[in-house]
Amino acid sequence: MDTALKPRSTGRLMIVGFLSPTVLLLLFMVAYPIFSLVHYSFYNFSALNPDKGMDWAGLSNYEYLLSDSGIWKRFVFTGKFVFLCVTMQMILGIFVGYRLQKTFRGRDLLFTALMLPMMLSPVVAGFLWRYMLNSEWGVVNFLVSLFGFAKVDWLGQAGPALWAAAVVDTWMWTPFIILLATAAFRGIPETIYEAAEVDGASAAYVFFRITLPMSAPVLFIALILRLIDSFKQYDLFVALTGGGPGSSTETVSFAVAKTAFSYFYTGEASALAVILLCIIMGLAMILVRHLSNMGARH
């Protein structure tokens, strides 16, 4: 009996030995920063003046933030930005990915070219489009004027600035959806399409009743990743609009950074970051649960 238990215990020790470094690294890199963030959110203090100490604030930081109309405007703007970005990226990514699953001359070259925007840093993309969208000599307004339309102050008005930021983010991250969608579509067995063709199924029927349902788990993962990333968008707005005009294009992440590193209200910034973290985690848990149910049905 002891001989039988020995290999099992040895195997468990090996598993613990292999997992321990990863678990310790995650605790150090993930758990400790989150714990510190939550801890600081209950205090009033400034990282600029650490000598003044930390004053217990309880839930007053959260009460102040949730009663601030300016913070709610940032949440509304962030929600609009996420909705526009994710909607455009999913529609374009699925459509282009569906076309690219078929083999044709120049497909690999086109696929590589479409992936290029994703390789850029959001800051680089933001500055690039900032020059292109300049109201006076930007190439976008030059093209608009060629068609006889009036020039648009893309980055100087709240409405156009929102659309400009959404288009730039879509330009950058639609390739990510294309990449996952193409892989999902090409993973569907060709025999299923052949059977549908024999049965006389239309192209629309094949796409909506075969292609999309069979690739839904992968597309749903892409949706989750883009939702999470869009909610915490910061660096693109720093380079593209600087949060302006005024503060009309400040996302919640932008407000966190501004509160922490411009005003040095570290406690309030921590509380706002915790609120954003809870929203993202709650949304991710709902979507992951839905993904698990989707996998169980299949």
Side-chain angles (χ1 to χ4, degrees):
M1 184 175 180
D2 293 338
T3 307
L5 290 174
K6 188 174 181 180
R8 185 179 298 177
S9 60
T10 303
R12 288 176 180 172
L13 287 174
M14 288 182 63
I15 292 173
V16 172
F18 281 120
L19 290 179
S20 294
T22 303
V23 172
L24 291 173
L25 185 63
L26 287 174
L27 286 174
F28 177 74
M29 297 185 64
V30 178
Y32 175 71
I34 292 177
F35 174 80
S36 300
L37 186 70
V38 175
H39 173 71
Y40 291 148
S41 70
F42 295 111
Y43 289 87
N44 280 328
F45 77 103
S46 173
L48 188 64
N49 299 307
D51 296 335
K52 291 185 177 181
M54 299 169 59
D55 298 324
W56 174 256
L59 296 175
S60 62
N61 285 330
Y62 292 95
E63 292 173 357
Y64 170 75
L65 290 170
L66 294 177
S67 62
D68 184 3
S69 61
I71 294 298
W72 283 108
K73 288 179 181 178
R74 288 165 176 80
F75 274 109
V76 170
F77 174 79
T78 303
K80 290 179 180 179
F81 172 74
V82 171
F83 176 77
L84 287 175
C85 290
V86 175
T87 302
M88 290 191 293
Q89 289 167 26
M90 292 301 298
I91 293 174
L92 290 173
I94 291 172
F95 174 77
V96 177
Y98 184 69
R99 303 303 300 176
L100 287 178
Q101 70 167 325
K102 300 176 182 178
T103 303
F104 55 87
R105 181 177 296 180
R107 173 187 172 276
D108 293 339
L109 181 61
L110 177 61
F111 189 84
T112 303
L114 288 173
M115 294 299 111
L116 290 178
M118 191 173 61
M119 309 303 172
L120 294 176
S121 163
V123 174
V124 174
F127 280 119
L128 172 65
W129 279 88
R130 187 171 185 169
Y131 286 107
M132 293 174 61
L133 292 169
N134 185 279
S135 59
E136 296 299 325
W137 40 263
V139 65
V140 174
N141 268 340
F142 172 73
L143 295 175
V144 167
S145 62
L146 287 180
F147 289 94
F149 297 103
K151 292 182 178 181
V152 180
D153 188 5
W154 296 103
L155 305 179
Q157 302 176 62
L162 169 62
W163 280 98
V167 167
V168 175
D169 193 77
T170 300
W171 174 78
M172 275 197 67
W173 292 110
T174 298
F176 175 75
I177 307 297
I178 294 173
L179 184 65
L180 293 183
T182 304
F185 295 155
R186 291 179 72 86
I188 300 174
E190 192 65 31
T191 53
I192 297 179
Y193 289 120
E194 293 173 357
E197 186 177 355
V198 170
D199 291 340
S202 64
Y205 181 91
V206 170
F207 179 75
F208 288 105
R209 301 299 297 271
I210 296 176
T211 303
L212 281 184
M214 295 195 69
S215 58
V218 176
L219 298 177
F220 207 77
I221 291 173
L223 172 65
I224 293 173
L225 294 176
R226 287 308 307 142
L227 275 173
I228 293 173
D229 192 60
S230 298
F231 258 108
K232 56 189 182 66
Q233 185 62 264
Y234 164 71
D235 38 7
L236 174 64
F237 285 95
V238 172
L240 184 64
T241 66
S247 59
S248 60
T249 59
E250 289 185 5
T251 60
V252 180
S253 295
F254 198 112
V256 171
K258 191 174 181 179
T259 305
F261 304 115
S262 295
Y263 304 141
F264 295 99
Y265 298 149
T266 310
E268 291 179 13
S270 299
L272 184 55
V274 170
I275 294 172
L276 180 61
L277 178 64
C278 290
I279 292 174
I280 293 175
M281 288 181 62
L283 182 63
M285 289 174 64
I286 293 171
L287 293 175
V288 168
R289 186 178 182 84
H290 185 72
L291 179 62
S292 300
N293 295 336
M294 187 186 300
R297 289 196 298 268
H298 284 79

